[in-house]
Amino acid sequence: MNYISTRDVNHKVSSSQAVLDGLAKDGGLYVPEDLSELKLDYKEVIAEDYRGMAKKVFGKFFPDYGEELIDSIVTRSYKDKFTAEEITPLVSVDGRYILELFCGPTCAFKDVALSALPNLMSEAAKLNDFKDEILILTATSGDTGSAALHGFSNVTGIRIAVFYPDKGISETQRLQMVTQSGANTKAFGVRGNFDDAQTGVKRLFQEIPRPCEGVSLSSANSINIGRLVPQVVYYFAAYKSLVDAGEIKIGDAVDYTVPTGNFGDIMAGYLAKQMGLPVGKLVCASNKNDVLTEFLETGHYNKKREFYKTSSPSMDILVSSNLERLLFFVCGADKTKEYMKSLAETGEYQISEDELSKIKRDFLGYACSDEEGAAAIGRLFKDASYVMDTHTAIAWAASDKYLRDCGLQTKNVVLSTASPYKFTGSVLAALGEEASGDDKADMERLSEITGTEIPGPLSAIFEKEVKHRDIIDVDEMMDEVKKYASEGKE
Ligand SMILES: *Cc1c(COP(=O)(O)O)cnc(C)c1O
């Protein structure tokens, strides 16, 4: 099975080439050429442990790697990196289920994919006889940066630079990045907000000649299919846990509520459903930035709206890149190209009634405010002694609205994307405590009042040496990248 661009079905590459490129040359995203080829017997998948499930799922999506190599990639990717034996444990909370995706080295769900992507990429380079060194450039609003730096640290043949908004992230997120070791890693603070950093990175991709100093550029954002596929696995893992616990019978549909930003995580759920997993509805939870909620309701995507900074910052987004993949599956390449052109030129597009009703078979959206999220954190702690982070809370509040509208006909799994200790100030405030603004003291306070432990990787950041001190302007990014690319070369 090959991959094609969402904007041109004639642009075809192998799965390993798709991982290597990240984005297709025409600006489209890579998708499997034929979804029906992904079908498998999910009962066989859920009979395996997490690694076994990952091997089966990866095998379908990445056929040109071969079975032996997939085995070795999965084993390397998930060995000794996650604190939970099950990798993504499912806990029963107050009649619903929370899928804890934050047990990896940087305490957010992005670790699940960024533990595997470096291995997928370095093996793809070998398979395609790719001689250049690879330089990963990534703009981050916080969580991707630390997970990507950690994942790519000390991977041979690859260097990585992340760009974070100097003032736009939490102190914990900043310390996670600037203390990251590995001779092949660099973190730059950019004077400006996330959009400035992201626009700057997009410009680097357009303007830097390739290869530059024998280095080729690639991306670790969720536009890369190699980031999406590892996330498909935990939809199976949640289903397996429900079956094993006797909560459902094999064949029962399960709904998943997903805190959504770039539409990557929820897209993985759609792919799991295409593979044959009995997924019911995929509930797309948004914060006050409700562009996806409106789209799923009306078919009108409109980015010309105010941008709000919320207490779930990893979901503060106006252009959800992975939605393009869904558009392709529902509308085809020509329409997708037309809609994306309209989005770029006018800031909006409208899909047809027919296309919208197809999307509504699988998806629905709810938006929740910071206040609704905070109330959910307080309530769940009071009723069930469970502490969740601000992103998970938006999803929990969205599943409240879903249950209000549709009733509890199917089991509901809420995806939990970060440890509450990554967003300690907001979580403390939601529990009625005053945050001090000092993340270390606030973590200790949160631990004290909830009786939960501070995750090891987060308590360690306050003691680690700061390795990355560069704060730069957007127009210095080009020179810094060129300098970094030529380091160690004559
Ligand atoms: C990135 C992120 C999200 C959004 O995920 P997408 O795949 O971009 O939709 C939600 N929660 C947290 C904590 C994140 O880091």
Side-chain angles (χ1 to χ4, degrees):
M1 187 192 63
N2 285 314
Y3 281 73
I4 49 178
S5 162
T6 48
R7 301 185 191 178
D8 178 6
V9 295
N10 295 315
H11 180 77
K12 232 177 252 193
V13 297
S14 67
S15 66
S16 59
Q17 188 68 49
V19 169
L20 215 46
D21 290 353
L23 198 67
K25 304 254 181 319
D26 59 7
L29 276 62
Y30 284 119
V31 285
E33 170 176 40
D34 181 1
L35 282 181
S36 68
E37 278 187 45
L38 295 173
K39 278 261 186 309
L40 41 62
D41 182 356
Y42 71 91
K43 297 186 250 358
E44 278 176 18
V45 180
I46 62 168
E48 303 277 342
D49 65 3
Y50 193 93
R51 287 174 193 82
M53 290 190 272
K55 285 172 189 174
K56 287 202 158 26
V57 171
F58 282 33
K60 278 283 179 188
F61 279 96
F62 304 124
D64 67 311
Y65 285 74
E67 198 171 326
E68 204 177 316
L69 190 52
I70 290 292
D71 268 25
S72 131
I73 287 173
V74 168
T75 305
R76 275 181 278 154
S77 299
Y78 295 107
K79 193 166 183 287
D80 303 329
K81 283 200 183 135
F82 288 72
T83 53
E85 175 62 30
E86 319 91 296
I87 309 288
T88 58
L90 185 77
V91 291
S92 170
V93 183
D94 214 25
R96 280 169 250 174
Y97 304 88
I98 293 187
L99 185 62
E100 297 188 336
L101 303 174
F102 51 77
C103 303
T106 72
C107 306
F109 87 100
K110 292 184 168 89
D111 286 325
V112 179
L114 283 159
S115 296
L117 182 64
N119 294 319
L120 287 166
M121 202 176 269
S122 54
E123 295 300 340
K126 287 183 210 156
L127 286 173
N128 291 282
D129 212 15
F130 194 74
K131 294 286 186 294
D132 291 343
E133 202 182 357
I134 298 168
L135 174 56
I136 307 276
L137 300 178
T138 295
T140 176
S141 59
D143 296 329
T144 298
S146 48
L149 286 170
H150 191 280
F152 281 99
S153 167
N154 297 322
V155 174
T156 319
I158 304 182
R159 301 184 200 200
I160 174 162
V162 304
F163 300 88
Y164 64 88
D166 176 32
K167 297 258 158 32
I169 59 173
S170 78
E171 181 61 5
T172 300
Q173 289 176 317
R174 190 185 71 83
L175 282 174
Q176 281 187 288
M177 285 189 267
V178 299
T179 60
Q180 177 61 52
S181 57
N184 64 334
T185 66
K186 254 195 201 301
F188 294 98
V190 176
R191 290 185 196 94
N193 60 25
F194 171 65
D195 279 328
D196 297 324
Q198 182 156 50
T199 310
V201 167
K202 284 191 181 145
R203 224 181 52 217
L204 296 178
F205 274 102
Q206 283 157 5
E207 292 178 12
I208 290 184
R210 293 183 223 187
C212 166
E213 315 274 357
V215 171
S216 271
L217 304 181
S218 190
S219 158
N221 288 110
S222 60
I223 51 171
N224 194 316
I225 190 72
R227 261 225 23 210
L228 232 45
V229 173
Q231 296 175 3
V232 175
V233 181
Y234 49 68
Y235 285 86
F236 284 87
Y239 196 89
K240 174 192 175 65
S241 298
L242 287 171
V243 171
D244 289 355
E247 299 287 327
I248 56 167
K249 294 191 305 300
I250 284 196
D252 289 351
V254 172
D255 296 333
Y256 293 82
T257 307
V258 188
T260 297
N262 231 345
F263 213 74
D265 206 0
I266 199 165
M267 192 64 220
Y270 179 82
L271 292 172
K273 188 170 186 175
Q274 302 307 313
M275 296 183 91
L277 187 71
V279 174
K281 281 281 191 276
L282 292 160
V283 181
C284 172
S286 300
N287 61 26
K288 197 176 177 185
N289 296 293
D290 59 357
V291 60
L292 286 167
T293 318
E294 182 181 291
F295 173 74
L296 293 171
E297 186 67 42
T298 65
H300 182 210
Y301 196 99
N302 183 5
K303 71 164 190 178
K304 296 177 293 179
R305 59 177 69 221
E306 194 171 337
F307 175 81
Y308 298 104
K309 281 184 79 151
T310 73
S311 54
S312 45
S314 304
M315 297 158 66
D316 291 347
I317 202 157
L318 293 183
V319 179
S320 255
S321 342
N322 270 290
L323 188 64
E324 179 167 347
R325 289 193 162 103
L326 180 63
L327 288 177
F328 171 83
F329 294 131
V330 170
C331 320
D334 293 345
K335 277 295 182 66
T336 302
K337 194 173 170 187
E338 183 189 314
Y339 294 145
M340 289 302 107
K341 186 163 179 269
S342 167
L343 182 66
E345 285 170 5
T346 68
E348 61 187 320
Y349 60 87
Q350 171 76 51
I351 62 172
S352 74
E353 278 299 324
D354 185 43
E355 290 161 349
L356 179 61
S357 68
K358 279 189 193 147
I359 289 177
K360 280 186 173 176
R361 273 186 230 152
D362 296 312
F363 292 90
L364 85 172
Y366 289 100
C368 300
S369 64
D370 275 358
E371 292 72 25
E372 288 172 312
I377 294 176
R379 208 167 52 241
L380 214 59
F381 183 60
K382 190 164 147 284
D383 295 349
S385 304
Y386 188 86
V387 200
M388 58 185 168
D389 102 289
T390 48
H391 302 75
T392 311
I394 292 292
W396 187 274
S399 85
D400 281 341
K401 295 185 185 186
Y402 174 57
L403 294 179
R404 178 199 64 199
D405 290 351
C406 305
L408 187 57
Q409 302 146 351
T410 36
K411 301 285 179 191
N412 204 292
V413 172
V414 173
L415 271 58
S416 178
T417 46
S419 157
Y421 286 93
K422 276 199 102 159
F423 304 94
T424 319
S426 304
V427 173
L428 270 183
L431 296 174
E433 292 278 319
E434 189 131 11
S436 70
D438 170 347
D439 280 14
K440 187 168 186 232
D442 285 347
M443 280 187 200
E444 282 158 8
R445 180 79 188 124
L446 184 62
S447 174
E448 194 181 305
I449 62 169
T450 61
T452 57
E453 257 179 63
I454 307 173
L458 293 181
S459 56
I461 55 174
F462 302 103
E463 322 299 332
K464 283 170 77 179
E465 188 194 339
V466 172
K467 300 259 185 194
H468 309 284
R469 298 181 181 280
D470 294 316
I471 306 291
I472 60 174
D473 286 322
V474 175
D475 56 20
E476 291 172 308
M477 288 169 71
M478 179 78 75
D479 284 346
E480 289 295 339
V481 167
K482 286 189 176 157
K483 209 160 81 192
Y484 184 36
S486 64
E487 256 172 40
K489 297 196 167 64
E490 276 313 306

